[in-house]
Amino acid sequence: MSWSHEVSYASMDARRRAFFGGLRPDSLQTVAEWADERLHLPSFAPVPGQWRTSRTPFLKEIMECLSPRHRCRKVVFMKPVQIGGTQVAVNWVGYTMDRSPTAMLFYEPTIDMAKRLTKEKIDPVIDATPELREKVKEAKSRDSGNTTYRKEYLGGFLNVLWANSASSSRSTSAPRIVADEVDEYEQDVGDQGHPCDLIEKRAAAYARYKIFELSTPTLETLSRIERDYLLGSQGRYHVPCPFCGKYQHFEWERIIYTFDGVKRPDDAAYQCAGCQQLVDRHPLRLGRPMDDP
């Protein structure tokens, strides 16, 4: 009997903490600031250890827009491959668990990709970051609230789902949603429309929601990420020319790799839109030295 009462009191205490935690105002700290302070990448990451936004400054504004105090409701990131987009989403997950707990949904195109996301990105970051290890119990039993597709923490939960399933796209509602690699989604799931349209309805009941949609674009006529990007502010990251200082965004047409009629991709350089000088690919020539690891 006494054991039963102890569990009951503990449960009441947890509910009380969750209730009063929900009354706290949104954190003034941005996702980028939190990641710089607390998030650690696993040993097998390209640059393991403490996260530094300064290594990828083009991701900073995206993380600021995902922060609770920012008025933006939908962030669309049309990107090249292997540039850190999914890691930004994982940073947002960590921030939510630690600083601003609530319900969150994370969609991948397929169930296999959803499983890889958890095993290769979310779980390793939780294990490597002490503050997140405290928030999410170890997956040692069925009732731990920590499975491949669900992570529970005080004040919220994360469901990892797959978009190419009508039932998954109509799953639990949440005020924060990640839709990853949307150009890999099927155009119509179960004769119910595009998964992104179904996913966005999961946040419709919330006055203050955020949706992070990201993908590498595929076919122009079918690209969902390009369509949604063109509906927004269409921001681009600009960098200064190391010779004339002109700020510009990179355009494929300005990459020069043919010299004297011979293609030499190993010698490729970028032609400045201002002074027309060729900028080689060494990081020090881009006007911003790379941080030491």
Side-chain angles (χ1 to χ4, degrees), residues 33-253:
E33 290 169 345
W34 174 86
D36 284 333
E37 177 187 322
R38 295 194 168 186
L39 189 131
H40 286 75
L41 300 175
S43 59
F44 57 80
V47 184
Q50 180 67 48
W51 167 272
R52 291 192 201 173
T53 303
S54 59
R55 291 193 183 105
T56 51
F58 48 87
L59 299 176
K60 181 179 180 181
E61 185 175 357
I62 297 171
M63 287 189 280
E64 289 176 345
C65 291
L66 292 172
S67 304
R69 295 260 178 167
H70 198 283
R71 64 181 181 178
C72 180
R73 291 289 168 258
K74 183 174 181 180
V75 181
V76 179
F77 186 20
M78 184 168 65
K79 64 181 184 64
V81 298
Q82 299 296 317
I83 202 170
T86 302
Q87 184 60 53
V88 166
V90 173
N91 292 1
W92 190 29
V93 168
Y95 175 91
T96 297
M97 290 177 172
D98 187 40
R99 276 286 188 263
S100 180
T102 188
M104 195 168 190
L105 307 179
F106 200 129
Y107 286 90
E108 290 289 342
T110 66
I111 187 171
D112 288 340
M113 293 179 70
K115 185 176 183 178
R116 288 204 304 272
L117 171 76
T118 297
K119 298 297 184 182
E120 298 175 8
K121 290 190 177 291
I122 294 177
D123 279 350
V125 164
I126 291 175
D127 291 341
T129 305
E131 289 79 5
L132 298 183
R133 286 201 306 270
E134 296 175 0
K135 300 293 192 301
V136 182
K137 296 180 181 178
E138 291 186 59
K140 290 185 176 180
S141 63
R142 291 185 178 180
D143 60 352
S144 69
N146 183 353
T147 68
T148 300
Y149 305 112
R150 184 176 174 89
K151 310 292 179 186
E152 296 178 3
Y153 42 90
L154 187 63
F157 61 84
L158 168 71
N159 282 353
V160 180
L161 305 161
W162 42 101
N164 290 344
S165 162
S167 60
S168 185
S169 298
R170 296 195 312 270
S171 68
T172 310
S173 297
R176 296 181 189 172
I177 299 177
V178 178
D180 193 16
E181 293 299 345
V182 299
D183 272 17
E184 298 297 329
Y185 294 0
E186 295 178 6
Q187 294 296 310
D188 190 350
V189 176
D191 295 324
Q192 297 180 44
H194 195 282
C196 284
D197 296 326
L198 301 178
I199 289 170
E200 287 189 17
K201 293 178 182 178
R202 300 302 93 213
Y206 297 90
R208 300 181 63 203
Y209 66 87
K210 281 189 184 286
I211 297 174
F212 183 29
E213 183 180 301
L214 63 155
S215 184
T216 302
T218 53
L219 297 176
E220 184 176 3
T221 55
L222 299 176
S223 177
R224 175 71 181 217
I225 196 69
E226 183 176 22
R227 192 207 77 165
D228 288 353
Y229 169 79
L230 293 174
L231 291 173
S233 60
Q234 301 178 38
R236 296 176 183 266
Y237 188 74
H238 290 64
V239 296
C241 171
F243 300 109
C244 70
K246 177 181 174 60
Y247 275 84
Q248 58 204 289
H249 66 268
F250 288 141
E251 298 176 301
W252 179 256
E253 293 77 12

